[in-house]
Amino acid sequence: MAESALQLLSEIGTLLCRQTRSNKDSILKSLKHAANALSEIEQPSSPEAAKKLEAAKKLEVATKPLRKAIVQGLLQHKDKEVRLLVAICVGEMFRVMAPEPPFEDKYLRDIFKLIVSIFAELADTTSPYFSRRVKILETVARCQCCVIMLDIDCNDLVLEMFNTFFSVVRENHQQSFINHIMSIMTHIINEEASQTLLDVILRNLVKEGKGAPCASYQLAVSIIQNCAEKLEPFICGFLTTCILDRDAVENELKEYYHEIIFQIFQCSPQMLLAVIPNLTHELLTDQVDVRIKAVNLIGKLFALPKQHVAQPYHDLFLEFLKRFSDKSVEVRVSALQCVKAFYMASPGTESHEILTALQDRLLDFDDRVRTQAVIVACDLAQSNLKFVPPKLISQATERLRDKKMCVRKKALYKLMEVYRDYCNKCSEGHMTISDHLEQIPCKILMLCYDKDCKEFRSQNMELVLAEDLFPVLLSVEERTRHWIHLFSLFTPLHVKALNSILSQKRRLQKEMQIYLALREKEKETSSEEMRKRIKASFIKMAAFFPDPSKAEDSFHKLNQMKDNNIFNSLALLLDELKIIDARTIRDKFMKTVGDRHPHFEFLCLLSSKCSHNIFGSEHIQYILEHLSGNRYGNKLLEVSSAKLLLAIISIFPSLLRGSEVQLQMLIEENSQINDKLIEVLAKAAPHISVKLSDIYPILERVCLEGSRIEAKSAVAAIAALGGVSEQFFFSELCKELVDSLHSGRNIPTVLQSLGCVAQYSVSAFEAHDREITSYIYEKIFRADASDNLNSNDDTSGCSSSCELKIYGLKTLVKSFLPHHGTVVRRQINEVLDILSKMLRKGDAFDGIITGKFDKAHLRLAAAKSVLQLSRRWDLHISPEIFRFTILIAKDSFSFVRRLFLDKTHKLLKERAIPTRYACAFALGTSDCLKDLQNDSFKYMAEFIKEYSKEARIRQTSAAQGGTITDYPAYIVVFLIYLLAHDTGYPSEICPEPEIYAQFCSPLFNLLEALVNATVVDREMDLVNDALLLLLSIFRAIKKAEDAVDAQNTSKLHIIADIGFSFVKALNDNDASSSHAPALILLPSSLYQANTGCLSQSPFDDCFIKDVVQMFKSHISLPIITLPKRGRKCQVDNTQLGIMEDNTLNLACREQVNFSATAGTQKNVRQNISVGHRKKQAVCSESVGLRECSSIKHQHGASIKSERVLEKEQLSSCDSVTRLSLAESHVSAQILERNGPSSKGNVSASSKIIAEPSEYSRAKLKDACSLNESNNKSEALIGQQIKLLSPIDRCFYSGMVDGYNSQNNTHKITYDSGEVEVLCLESESWEAISNGSLVEREEVLAEESNTFQLQHRGLKRTIGTSGGITTQQKKVLPSGEHRKLSNRTNLLPVKVKRGQKASINTSASEVINLPEDAVAKRTRRKKV
């Protein structure tokens, strides 16, 4: 130890003690000398204790004056430099005098306070005193003197020092500096850890997320890592309490405990082994915000790289998975937000489970969750396109069809990001083209069918394909590669959507060219007509913009601009075919316009639509180059290339300009895609430079030797390229084709070529007409299965001879359907005769051996041919051919029905055939196959909707000249004719309402659809128009007769009556018939004017209403709406078999619920008089094509006797005389007693037919009889009665509790407690008395069995076995008597009234008979 240093130190101390008013400089000078002297002194280190003790005493004596000076005044000095030097000296004294403190305990607090204050200035690294302060820090850290603060209870100073260290530490501090701080803090914590010190550390641990300096965070992490053992109990206790009982924690850090867990887990995960499992408690809590925070925390923990947290905490992971299906939307969204990081950090089993949970959320019931799932799935796909499961991308793509608009929009945006990223990776060679990613554009195209969102209409989807789908810098060649692959995945719906987009673009471009030409003309000659044409052009072009009204206004403003540069640039864009050059022109144009232009946005959109920015001529060149070089080696891609080429050229044929040579070379190669290439040539022919003479040999060879598809395209190409010389080429071609036909080479193709030639050149075909037609008739139509022409072809479904017949038929039909309206001079009758025979017999000539499948194909071909011919020859098609054509919809072969209905729907949608052929849909609604039935209803609804609106437009527009026949309701005229002429028409001798209801179901289905508001988008005007038109049509038919077979007139009237009653029942809106059309034109080929007194409907109105009610109750309604014990009957009544020979026994009709009538179904109970011909007639005036359909009904007709009635002559058809009530009863009794023979006589001798209404009947009732009836009805109150159920033919007992005289109804309370109000006059009932029940049930059972046996055509003998005792009170309504009488009047033994009928039959003859009742009412308790 240096003696001089000790001496100097003592002197300085003594000097400082003496100077009571020393100046700063002297103090500083003295302290500096003292600090230097102390630095030279070392701690006593002698190995001998005595010497060491002696040295310590010397040191204590030497420093005593200095220490005294420090505690007596220098500690309180205000100067920073003085305080700094004092602190240095203090630190040095702690060093040299360790382990004993240099000061007494009472001074240590102030000493450490001085030191901590010096530490607070360590943040200023630029200070000249920074090094000295660091020296103090280093000294304190080395001697560990701060631990003394714990001994003297200076915990507040320790806490202040910790806060000071965290506040002064900086990222630019040297590591040694950080180590000194860590050393001090670590020693204190290891000596005495506390919650307060931990709070300071944790507070700095979570500051990072708040933007605090990172150095304090790193310091906190280091301390936690170094003092993990000491801090773990405090940390675990605090965090566990926060998790389990957060409200009990008073520490402010409880708000950040999730972040604390995450930060500690990153730096020292072993500290939280006891804490992490407790997070399961938060996942299960009822508090949504706690579950959300827990999910976010656990998600971040699982996402830590290289940690694989999910494996050691598997139970926590399983509970975390359940949060994906949490009842809270916010929790599910939070769980989804953790997926990407988790999947990227934890490959393995857990990641697959997370993906499964993500896929499930794509189908979540909440749109916010689905939206987040789409975002996460797309982000995940972008992060690693190669390894993301294709199923995930596929399911995310399906969200483009989501029911919520916001989900669809977000899915579109995110999926396009994925697809652009995928395209870039493909162009860079990092990926190859894959089907599942190419499905993204496929699904995007399907958005065009979304009618709910205007953003997805074709106008906007054009911009998606042009600007958003592909990366901006992606080359045209790369785009073409993707388009080719896309077409290999396209369905017809995709192609249709793309064609819609491209067609709209092309129409806008054409209209823009027209406008620019009009604008130039307007400069020369301005006129009102020119302005109108320009305005009309604006309206057309505006329709192709997202907001048509705004676009139209912008067009008008654009037209007023004088800057010709804008219009010149637009003209250049329209003419430029190369996509790259068009992009350059557009960019230059928009730069010239400038974004400050008032119409900048509109011009930007307009220029995009005017330019070829989806497909350009470069696409065509690349496609042809790929085909020529055969780069694919993949036939599928080769075909898709040809399809893409055809799709582009069909809309933009001029894009082929400049590539003609390449196309011609490809056609010469005779590849498998020649049909498409030749069609491309035909489409583009008017727009390219190709001489027909150069390519004709190739096309001729195709017409002779190619396929039928190729031949069709080749003929079209010759017609397109021929110009004025096409007749010469067609004449030469026709000669070659006829020669080839006679030689028997490639007959199907030759027939196709001949048919197509006939359509383009009538003269060329007619020059060889006799040769061609005779060959078809003799060599093809007369061939049978045993001829050499036949060789079975399993792939086509019919024999080759049948195929040739179909091809020959098509050739004949095409020859009568030339293009461009050319007149055909040949007669069509012979072809129509052939079609008639094919429709009826399945072949063109008698005696031909043909299989049943071939006949089916021929019938279908004939029906399709009639449809095609109806375009121009409908007036020549006879009613018989029309009827057999429509009856193909009920063919015995389902594929025939399917193809015919589809073809009819297609042609009607194209407006290519007359509307009357829509009758086929009505027949199809009763098909036994559910899918065919549903499609028929769909086709019928589409037909009604589209044609109704068009008819209304034509009707209101004088220029269109619309007529009533334009309305879909008019096809009822033809459907009634078809039904009346059907061979399966029900018998009129023993009619049953259910049979008529089943037979008329096509009519009912059509009528229901016509008056269903939902079909026509709830436009009630259209519904009312249909109602009024239908009523007028039925009246008109009632006043007409059958023009083909007068014997069928009564059937027409019956069906018209049924239809009229049905429409009246459907008339919920009570449309007034006074507004019905005054003139109904009936087709003269089917209907003609009355030639005399025509028999009206042979059935009374009660039977008609029963038929209607039968359909509404038991055919239209679903089974579940029927009474419980009536459902079996309903099923039984509908299980019928298909009838061949094209009859209308409507087979296996499924239950259909029509919403338009479901709400109006009522439990109708009325007197039913079935099957009785009336002794009345009406002399109808003639009804022709111009007839008045309105009929005046006279409800107040006078009562006349039979003698007067027979002599009375009617002056007009509008005056109807009605039978008296007495005469009605008489005629009914005569019919019941005389049976069928007397019925026929009455009918034959009838002169007048009338329909007595319920109103007239009520007026004719005698007042006395009414009073008497009311008295009897009231007397029944309190009477116990039994009522017969029509369901199971059993009685159910109840009490008559009341009577309403106004509507003649009784209130019945059944023994089961249920109540029913009904009219007893229309029910079968009897009062309960001893001995009456058994006998009554036997009678009814016998009557029921009689009905069942007769209904099935079984012969039974009914005998009489005594009468019914007069003591029994039996009440059967007149309708019930008549029903039972009609059911038995075919039997050889007559049953008189008042006698009991019995059936003599053995048990074996009546077993397994199904129930045959129709459900009208249920009885709750069986007696």
Side-chain angles (χ1 to χ4, degrees):
M1 185 179 296
E3 294 293 336
S4 59
L6 291 175
Q7 181 66 32
L8 178 61
L9 195 61
S10 177
E11 291 175 359
I12 293 173
T14 302
L15 179 63
L16 290 173
C17 288
R18 291 176 182 175
Q19 295 177 353
T20 55
R21 290 190 176 184
S22 58
N23 58 19
K24 173 184 173 183
D25 294 335
S26 62
I27 295 174
L28 290 176
K29 182 178 179 180
S30 298
L31 289 175
K32 287 180 181 178
H33 290 305
N36 293 332
L38 285 170
S39 65
E40 295 177 1
I41 301 172
E42 297 294 335
Q43 241 182 352
S45 58
S46 176
E48 297 181 9
K51 290 183 178 181
K52 186 175 182 182
L53 182 59
E54 181 181 357
K57 286 181 179 181
K58 288 182 180 181
L59 180 60
E60 184 179 357
V61 172
T63 59
K64 185 176 180 179
L66 181 60
R67 285 184 283 130
K68 183 179 178 181
I70 290 175
V71 298
Q72 287 182 355
L74 294 178
L75 278 175
Q76 287 77 31
H77 205 282
K78 302 299 182 182
D79 186 74
K80 286 186 177 182
E81 192 173 359
V82 173
R83 292 173 63 83
L84 176 61
L85 289 172
V86 171
I88 293 174
C89 292
V90 169
E92 289 297 326
M93 282 188 282
F94 270 108
R95 177 180 64 82
V96 298
M97 297 181 68
E100 296 298 327
F103 300 95
E104 297 179 20
D105 290 350
K106 61 182 179 180
Y107 301 118
L108 285 176
R109 179 177 181 83
D110 292 333
I111 295 297
F112 284 116
K113 194 172 182 180
L114 172 64
I115 294 174
V116 171
S117 67
I118 298 300
F119 290 164
E121 298 173 359
L122 286 169
D124 187 7
T125 56
T126 60
S127 172
Y129 307 121
F130 177 74
S131 59
R132 295 182 179 182
R133 293 166 184 161
V134 172
K135 181 66 175 177
I136 296 172
L137 176 67
E138 180 183 356
T139 302
V140 172
R142 287 175 58 188
C143 67
Q144 302 178 12
C145 59
C146 287
V147 178
I148 299 174
M149 288 192 290
L150 299 175
D151 297 334
I152 61 175
D153 296 328
C154 292
N155 293 325
D156 56 334
L157 286 178
V158 173
L159 185 62
E160 182 182 352
M161 183 177 65
F162 268 58
N163 285 319
T164 300
F165 284 152
F166 280 114
S167 63
V168 301
V169 69
R170 296 290 183 269
E171 291 181 348
N172 57 350
H173 284 155
Q174 295 182 359
Q175 186 60 40
S176 60
F177 176 87
I178 303 295
N179 291 340
H180 296 326
I181 293 177
M182 285 179 55
S183 175
I184 296 172
M185 299 176 75
T186 302
H187 279 105
I188 290 177
I189 292 174
N190 288 334
E191 186 68 26
E192 186 179 326
S194 65
Q195 184 65 44
T196 54
L197 294 181
L198 177 62
D199 290 347
V200 175
I201 299 171
L202 296 180
R203 195 175 294 113
N204 287 275
L205 187 68
V206 297
K207 275 185 178 180
E208 184 184 23
K210 303 177 183 179
C214 185
S216 62
Y217 165 76
Q218 292 296 336
L219 178 60
V221 169
S222 299
I223 294 171
I224 290 174
Q225 290 174 339
N226 293 335
C227 304
E229 185 177 353
K230 291 290 184 177
L231 294 176
E232 182 176 349
F234 295 95
I235 290 176
C236 291
F238 168 71
L239 295 177
T240 302
T241 306
C242 289
I243 293 172
L244 300 179
D245 191 8
R246 180 171 171 268
D247 294 336
V249 179
E250 297 181 356
N251 195 325
E252 63 178 6
L253 287 171
K254 68 180 181 180
E255 302 296 333
Y256 311 103
Y257 72 95
H258 283 116
E259 182 64 21
I260 292 171
I261 292 175
F262 178 67
Q263 296 297 343
I264 293 177
F265 194 88
Q266 291 187 88
C267 61
S268 185
Q270 70 279 359
M271 294 178 65
L272 301 179
L273 290 175
V275 175
I276 299 300
N278 291 328
L279 291 174
T280 306
H281 173 78
E282 291 195 338
L283 293 176
L284 297 173
T285 186
D286 292 335
Q287 300 175 13
V288 175
D289 59 331
V290 175
R291 294 205 305 276
I292 292 174
K293 291 179 181 178
V295 165
N296 292 333
L297 169 61
I298 297 170
K300 290 195 294 183
L301 293 177
F302 289 159
L304 290 174
K306 300 179 182 180
Q307 294 280 355
H308 306 292
V309 182
Q311 295 176 2
Y313 299 103
H314 189 66
D315 292 339
L316 181 64
F317 171 73
L318 293 178
E319 195 58 45
F320 175 76
L321 274 181
K322 295 179 182 178
R323 292 315 102 211
F324 284 88
S325 56
D326 193 277
K327 62 183 178 181
S328 169
V329 172
E330 291 77 10
V331 175
R332 300 200 298 274
V333 170
S334 298
L336 287 171
Q337 292 171 343
C338 304
V339 168
K340 179 183 176 183
F342 183 100
Y343 183 81
M344 300 302 294
S346 305
T349 306
E350 291 80 10
S351 62
H352 292 301
E353 294 183 50
I354 286 290
L355 280 187
T356 302
L358 171 60
Q359 292 169 4
D360 292 341
R361 289 312 97 210
L362 286 167
L363 301 176
D364 195 277
F365 62 85
D366 192 277
D367 57 286
R368 290 170 291 176
V369 179
R370 296 197 302 276
T371 302
Q372 186 62 43
V374 168
I375 294 172
V376 173
C378 293
D379 289 344
L380 196 59
Q382 281 185 274
S383 65
N384 200 338
L385 277 171
K386 286 186 177 180
F387 300 106
V388 170
K391 184 179 179 182
L392 178 63
I393 298 176
S394 176
Q395 289 184 339
T397 307
E398 287 299 320
R399 289 306 92 214
L400 289 169
R401 299 170 57 243
D402 196 276
K403 62 182 179 181
K404 285 287 187 178
M405 192 67 59
C406 58
V407 181
R408 297 202 294 272
K409 290 181 179 179
K410 179 58 71 173
L412 175 62
Y413 175 76
K414 296 298 295 184
L415 286 168
M416 285 195 299
E417 283 186 353
V418 174
Y419 190 75
R420 288 195 294 267
D421 190 49
Y422 154 73
C423 290
N424 283 329
K425 284 183 170 55
C426 289
S427 65
E428 294 166 1
H430 300 310
M431 287 187 67
T432 58
I433 293 180
S434 61
D435 287 352
H436 70 277
L437 287 168
E438 293 294 345
Q439 284 290 345
I440 293 177
C442 294
K443 297 294 184 181
I444 290 175
L445 273 176
M446 295 301 289
L447 289 174
C448 293
Y449 297 100
D450 188 347
K451 304 300 182 183
D452 301 331
C453 182
K454 63 180 183 180
E455 284 85 352
F456 297 149
R457 293 174 186 169
S458 300
Q459 298 93 321
N460 285 313
M461 296 307 294
E462 172 193 338
L463 301 177
V464 170
L465 297 183
E467 300 175 1
D468 300 329
L469 184 62
F470 295 102
V472 176
L473 300 179
L474 193 68
S475 65
V476 177
E477 184 175 8
E478 282 295 320
R479 296 184 186 215
T480 306
R481 285 181 59 216
H482 286 285
W483 274 114
I484 290 172
H485 204 94
L486 277 173
F487 257 76
S488 68
L489 305 174
F490 272 11
T491 65
L493 286 177
H494 294 117
V495 177
K496 181 180 178 182
L498 180 62
N499 285 341
S500 174
I501 295 171
L502 298 181
S503 297
Q504 285 199 12
K505 186 177 185 67
R506 182 57 184 154
R507 288 199 296 270
L508 172 68
Q509 291 176 345
K510 288 182 177 179
E511 198 61 42
M512 191 65 188
Q513 289 173 333
I514 293 172
Y515 161 67
L516 293 176
L518 290 174
R519 191 174 183 278
E520 290 298 322
K521 289 182 180 179
E522 189 183 26
K523 292 180 181 178
E524 301 173 0
T525 56
S526 179
S527 64
E528 184 64 26
E529 179 64 25
M530 191 70 68
R531 285 190 288 273
K532 287 182 179 180
R533 291 177 64 185
I534 291 176
K535 183 179 180 181
S537 181
F538 289 162
I539 295 174
K540 291 180 182 178
M541 288 190 291
F544 303 123
F545 284 77
D547 190 344
S549 59
K550 183 179 179 181
E552 185 179 351
D553 183 59
S554 298
F555 272 119
H556 283 289
K557 293 178 180 178
L558 178 66
N559 189 48
Q560 296 171 4
M561 297 176 64
K562 304 301 182 182
D563 188 0
N564 288 326
N565 292 327
I566 293 178
F567 301 101
N568 293 336
S569 298
L570 291 174
L572 283 175
L573 280 174
L574 291 169
D575 294 335
E576 183 54 57
L577 302 181
K578 292 185 176 181
I579 192 170
I580 297 178
D581 294 343
R583 189 183 302 161
T584 303
I585 295 173
R586 180 171 178 262
D587 292 342
K588 183 179 179 181
F589 168 65
M590 295 311 303
K591 185 176 180 180
T592 302
V593 171
D595 55 3
R596 294 185 179 181
H597 194 281
H599 305 299
F600 177 80
E601 290 186 3
F602 175 72
L603 290 173
C604 183
L605 183 58
L606 177 62
S607 60
S608 175
K609 288 180 172 290
C610 288
S611 61
H612 290 85
N613 52 3
I614 300 179
F615 295 112
S617 58
E618 299 101 320
H619 288 86
I620 305 301
Q621 294 172 4
Y622 285 124
I623 294 172
L624 293 175
E625 286 178 7
H626 290 170
L627 289 172
S628 301
N630 193 21
R631 297 182 183 180
Y632 302 116
N634 187 327
K635 296 299 181 182
L636 179 62
L637 292 182
E638 186 179 26
V639 172
S640 66
S641 299
K643 289 181 178 179
L644 173 61
L645 180 65
L646 180 59
I648 299 173
I649 295 303
S650 297
I651 309 299
F652 302 103
S654 58
L655 295 182
L656 190 62
R657 199 176 299 154
S659 303
E660 297 91 341
V661 176
Q662 285 179 292
L663 178 64
Q664 187 171 344
M665 291 174 59
L666 284 172
I667 294 175
E668 290 175 355
E669 292 177 3
N670 195 22
S671 62
Q672 294 183 351
I673 57 173
N674 250 18
D675 56 333
K676 297 290 188 302
L677 297 177
I678 295 173
E679 189 175 355
V680 167
L681 177 62
K683 297 279 186 184
H687 305 271
I688 58 178
S689 301
V690 175
K691 292 183 179 180
L692 178 59
S693 56
D694 295 338
I695 201 170
Y696 176 76
I698 302 173
L699 298 178
E700 182 186 49
R701 186 185 73 240
V702 171
C703 290
L704 294 170
E705 301 174 2
S707 65
R708 287 177 58 83
I709 298 177
E710 294 173 348
K712 181 178 180 180
S713 301
V715 174
I718 293 173
L721 293 170
V724 294
S725 60
E726 70 173 15
Q727 292 301 325
F728 168 77
F729 287 104
F730 277 132
S731 297
E732 294 297 319
L733 178 60
C734 206
K735 292 178 184 178
E736 294 292 332
L737 291 171
V738 172
D739 293 341
S740 180
L741 189 67
H742 287 298
S743 63
R745 297 192 307 269
N746 203 7
I747 295 178
T749 299
V750 172
L751 290 173
Q752 174 80 309
S753 300
L754 286 171
C756 295
V757 168
Q759 290 185 297
Y760 288 104
S761 177
V762 174
S763 58
F765 182 86
E766 289 183 346
H768 303 274
D769 173 46
R770 291 187 177 275
E771 293 180 78
I772 298 170
T773 54
S774 62
Y775 182 90
I776 292 173
Y777 288 155
E778 299 300 327
K779 300 293 185 180
I780 297 178
F781 284 166
R782 291 189 179 276
D784 56 33
S786 62
D787 288 345
N788 293 331
L789 286 172
N790 180 66
S791 62
N792 289 330
D793 185 359
D794 296 334
T795 60
S796 64
C798 63
S799 65
S800 59
S801 63
C802 174
E803 280 190 339
L804 284 180
K805 291 178 183 180
I806 294 174
Y807 297 152
L809 182 62
K810 288 183 177 181
T811 300
L812 294 177
V813 169
K814 287 180 180 178
S815 68
F816 286 93
L817 296 172
H819 296 314
H820 313 303
T822 310
V823 178
V824 178
R825 293 187 294 270
R826 295 175 294 124
Q827 296 295 320
I828 197 175
N829 295 336
E830 192 173 4
V831 174
L832 292 177
D833 291 341
I834 293 291
L835 292 174
S836 178
K837 290 179 181 179
M838 284 187 174
L839 288 169
R840 287 185 289 109
K841 302 178 181 179
D843 218 322
F845 296 99
D846 296 331
I848 305 299
I849 302 174
T850 308
K852 61 179 182 178
F853 289 103
D854 286 356
K855 287 185 177 181
H857 281 280
L858 289 173
R859 287 197 302 271
L860 175 62
K864 288 183 177 180
S865 298
V866 173
L867 293 178
Q868 297 287 354
L869 289 172
S870 67
R871 303 182 184 197
R872 292 186 59 177
W873 303 90
D874 196 46
L875 293 177
H876 294 75
I877 296 175
S878 66
E880 181 185 35
I881 294 177
F882 169 72
R883 181 166 65 88
F884 283 118
T885 300
I886 299 300
L887 289 181
I888 294 298
K890 301 302 296 181
D891 194 87
S892 57
F893 287 87
S894 61
F895 79 90
V896 173
R897 304 197 299 273
R898 159 65 67 191
L899 295 175
F900 176 70
L901 289 172
D902 290 346
K903 184 68 172 181
T904 305
H905 173 251
K906 178 177 178 293
L907 293 175
L908 283 170
K909 202 168 185 63
E910 296 172 354
R911 310 301 190 268
I913 57 176
T915 57
R916 64 173 180 161
Y917 291 92
C919 292
F921 302 150
L923 301 189
T925 58
S926 61
D927 200 278
C928 62
L929 297 180
K930 187 67 177 178
D931 60 336
L932 273 178
Q933 185 186 129
N934 292 338
D935 285 347
S936 297
F937 276 112
K938 182 182 73 173
Y939 293 162
M940 186 164 64
E942 289 180 9
F943 165 75
I944 292 171
K945 177 181 178 180
E946 295 175 7
Y947 278 76
S948 293
K949 293 181 178 180
E950 290 181 7
R952 167 59 66 87
I953 294 172
R954 286 195 294 268
Q955 196 76 14
T956 55
S957 175
Q960 295 287 340
T963 63
I964 289 177
T965 58
D966 295 330
Y967 283 89
Y970 193 76
I971 68 171
V972 171
V973 171
F974 302 98
L975 182 59
I976 290 176
Y977 174 84
L978 292 172
L979 294 174
H981 283 259
D982 186 72
T983 56
Y985 189 89
S987 172
E988 299 177 39
I989 299 176
C990 184
E992 291 292 342
E994 55 267 34
I995 296 178
Y996 269 87
Q998 189 73 23
F999 176 77
C1000 293
S1001 60
L1003 176 62
F1004 293 150
N1005 291 330
L1006 176 58
L1007 295 178
E1008 279 188 312
L1010 286 168
V1011 299
N1012 190 344
T1014 58
V1015 171
V1016 290
D1017 297 334
R1018 301 196 176 279
E1019 294 189 25
M1020 296 310 299
D1021 290 342
L1022 295 177
V1023 174
N1024 293 332
D1025 289 347
L1027 276 167
L1028 298 176
L1029 180 57
L1030 288 171
L1031 295 175
S1032 299
I1033 287 173
F1034 292 130
R1035 294 191 187 105
I1037 293 175
K1038 286 285 293 180
K1039 295 193 293 182
E1041 67 177 6
D1042 197 316
V1044 179
D1045 184 2
Q1047 298 297 323
N1048 278 322
T1049 300
S1050 63
K1051 298 180 181 179
L1052 291 174
H1053 292 177
I1054 291 172
I1055 299 173
D1057 279 337
I1058 293 174
F1060 186 89
S1061 179
F1062 188 78
V1063 172
K1064 293 291 286 183
L1066 294 178
N1067 187 8
D1068 296 332
N1069 298 326
D1070 295 326
S1072 174
S1073 60
S1074 61
H1075 300 290
L1079 183 64
I1080 297 296
L1081 303 178
L1082 300 178
S1084 59
S1085 61
L1086 308 181
Y1087 299 89
Q1088 65 182 10
N1090 289 343
T1091 57
C1093 295
L1094 296 175
S1095 174
Q1096 205 175 357
S1097 173
F1099 306 132
D1100 63 11
D1101 57 344
C1102 292
F1103 175 79
I1104 300 297
K1105 291 179 180 178
D1106 197 25
V1107 171
V1108 172
Q1109 184 61 29
M1110 192 70 65
F1111 175 83
K1112 294 176 66 177
S1113 300
H1114 304 109
I1115 298 179
S1116 279
L1117 291 180
I1119 293 179
I1120 59 172
T1121 62
L1122 297 174
K1124 289 184 179 179
R1125 283 177 286 104
R1127 294 179 190 173
K1128 184 176 186 302
C1129 302
Q1130 171 70 7
V1131 176
D1132 292 340
N1133 288 338
T1134 58
Q1135 301 305 312
L1136 304 176
I1138 294 182
M1139 303 297 292
E1140 294 195 17
D1141 299 327
N1142 295 326
T1143 63
L1144 285 183
N1145 291 10
L1146 303 173
C1148 300
R1149 192 188 186 284
E1150 300 285 345
Q1151 307 304 317
V1152 181
N1153 183 14
F1154 291 91
S1155 59
T1157 60
T1160 61
Q1161 303 299 322
K1162 297 180 180 178
N1163 196 4
V1164 180
R1165 298 178 179 87
Q1166 52 183 312
N1167 292 336
I1168 302 176
S1169 178
V1170 183
H1172 298 287
R1173 299 183 180 273
K1174 301 178 182 179
K1175 296 177 61 179
Q1176 296 171 320
V1178 59
C1179 184
S1180 174
E1181 66 181 7
S1182 60
V1183 180
L1185 292 178
R1186 300 181 179 274
E1187 68 167 308
C1188 179
S1189 63
S1190 59
I1191 301 176
K1192 298 177 182 178
H1193 298 278
Q1194 297 183 359
H1195 298 292
S1198 60
I1199 304 174
K1200 299 180 181 296
S1201 65
E1202 185 176 358
R1203 178 178 57 81
V1204 176
L1205 181 64
E1206 291 175 352
K1207 293 181 179 180
E1208 187 177 62
Q1209 299 295 326
L1210 300 178
S1211 59
S1212 71
C1213 67
D1214 292 336
S1215 178
V1216 180
T1217 304
R1218 305 183 185 279
L1219 286 175
S1220 68
L1221 185 62
E1223 292 166 11
S1224 288
H1225 286 305
V1226 171
S1227 54
Q1229 293 174 6
I1230 293 173
L1231 291 174
E1232 288 175 357
R1233 293 170 182 171
N1234 294 343
S1237 59
S1238 63
K1239 283 187 181 181
N1241 295 334
V1242 172
S1243 177
S1245 61
S1246 296
K1247 300 295 183 182
I1248 300 173
I1249 298 178
E1251 299 180 4
S1253 67
E1254 293 296 330
Y1255 174 81
S1256 10
R1257 291 179 183 175
K1259 288 290 184 182
L1260 293 175
K1261 285 185 177 180
D1262 185 76
C1264 296
S1265 63
L1266 287 174
N1267 293 333
E1268 181 180 356
S1269 175
N1270 289 340
N1271 293 334
K1272 291 181 179 179
S1273 298
E1274 291 177 356
L1276 289 175
I1277 297 176
Q1279 176 69 44
Q1280 190 78 12
I1281 65 172
K1282 301 176 299 184
L1283 289 98
L1284 177 68
S1285 171
I1287 304 298
D1288 51 9
R1289 310 297 295 174
C1290 294
F1291 281 90
Y1292 294 84
S1293 62
M1295 177 74 73
V1296 181
D1297 286 343
Y1299 172 72
N1300 188 339
S1301 59
Q1302 294 182 356
N1303 54 13
N1304 193 28
T1305 57
H1306 289 81
K1307 177 183 177 183
I1308 311 298
T1309 301
Y1310 293 101
D1311 293 349
S1312 62
E1314 297 190 20
V1315 179
E1316 189 174 20
V1317 178
L1318 47 84
C1319 179
L1320 289 179
E1321 290 184 4
S1322 60
E1323 302 291 335
S1324 300
W1325 64 276
E1326 66 180 6
I1328 294 180
S1329 58
N1330 295 334
S1332 65
L1333 181 59
V1334 176
E1335 185 177 4
R1336 177 62 177 167
E1337 287 184 343
E1338 290 176 355
V1339 175
L1340 289 170
E1342 291 165 354
E1343 292 173 346
S1344 176
N1345 288 337
T1346 303
F1347 168 71
Q1348 291 173 357
L1349 296 175
Q1350 285 298 322
H1351 184 67
R1352 290 158 180 77
L1354 302 177
K1355 296 183 178 180
R1356 297 289 182 267
T1357 303
I1358 300 180
T1360 59
S1361 55
I1364 301 175
T1365 59
T1366 58
Q1367 288 81 3
Q1368 293 178 338
K1369 183 178 181 180
K1370 302 194 310 179
V1371 180
L1372 284 175
S1374 58
E1376 188 73 11
H1377 277 300
R1378 287 192 291 271
K1379 286 183 182 179
L1380 294 176
S1381 176
N1382 286 337
R1383 293 167 183 167
T1384 59
N1385 59 12
L1386 292 179
L1387 300 177
V1389 180
K1390 296 181 181 179
V1391 181
K1392 297 182 180 180
R1393 302 182 69 180
Q1395 292 180 330
K1396 182 173 73 173
S1398 63
I1399 303 177
N1400 298 325
T1401 178
S1402 63
S1404 62
E1405 292 177 297
V1406 294
I1407 60 173
N1408 297 327
L1409 286 177
E1411 294 177 313
D1412 201 8
V1414 179
K1416 286 188 179 180
R1417 183 184 69 250
T1418 59
R1419 305 296 186 203
R1420 298 295 187 259
K1421 183 176 179 182
K1422 195 170 183 178
V1423 180

